[in-house]
Amino acid sequence: LVLGGGEDAERAARSLSSGAIAGYTLLGVRVDVGSVLAPDGDGGEAGRLLDRADDVVFSSSRPEDRSSLVAFLEKSVRHDFDLWIVPGLADVVATRVVTRSLGDLPVVHVSSRATTTPALVFRRAMDLLVGVPLLLASLPVLAVTAVVVVLESPGKPFIRQRRVGRDGREFRVW
């Protein structure tokens, strides 16, 4: 499924419909990204296409479409498809993104599939088994660094910042 309008979206649709990209067929093209972002059950034909899509190519230079990209990323998790974003030239030049090609278009893969429970448990166990001993081992170095910062510069040696974590919950980090 190709979402968005413009020359890049048309080129992606042509590459997919021509069979030039092995293993892919074009389900449809939706210029109006908002029709796909409608709440579940309200998407009509666009929503049904999204349910059938294994991969979605997002290509839009319209600011209103870019601002809705976060909502679309969340939808990709619920609908279990791979999302590919066609970056603009400034996106590719300004950052060191890893791109692949869809015909003659660069695309950036967005991994949005949910992590499995065993993977989350394993990650948390590794955090605790490796991270806690390393933190304890580094405490003397952190203490010396804090003393040096206090002696050499004005202000406190540590800062606190507000961050946003899983499910949008805020927490403070030192």
Side-chain angles (χ1 to χ4, degrees), residues 96-117:
R96 293 182 176 161
V97 295
V98 177
T99 61
R100 293 177 60 192
S101 67
L102 175 66
D104 61 348
L105 285 174
V107 292
V108 177
H109 182 245
V110 178
S111 177
S112 59
R113 296 194 181 200
T115 305
T116 63
T117 300

Side-chain angles (χ1 to χ4, degrees), residues 1 4 13 31 35 42 52 75 77 83 89 119 147 153 169-170:
L1 178 61
V31 175
S35 68
D42 295 341
R52 293 182 16 225
K75 195 171 195 77
V77 172
L83 177 62
L89 181 60
V147 169
S153 63
R169 290 186 298 221
E170 289 185 6

Side-chain angles (χ1 to χ4, degrees), residues 54-117:
D54 292 324
D55 293 88
V56 174
V57 176
F58 181 91
S59 174
S60 179
S61 57
R62 296 179 350 161
E64 58 270 22
D65 289 344
R66 292 286 182 175
S67 66
S68 62
L69 186 55
V70 172
F72 187 72
L73 290 169
E74 292 170 355
K75 195 171 195 77
S76 72
V77 172
R78 289 193 308 276
H79 287 270
D80 196 31
F81 57 77
D82 280 335
L83 177 62
W84 298 86
I85 299 173
V86 178
L89 181 60
D91 298 327
V92 174
V93 173
T95 63
R96 293 182 176 161
V97 295
V98 177
T99 61
R100 293 177 60 192
S101 67
L102 175 66
D104 61 348
L105 285 174
V107 292
V108 177
H109 182 245
V110 178
S111 177
S112 59
R113 296 194 181 200
T115 305
T116 63
T117 300

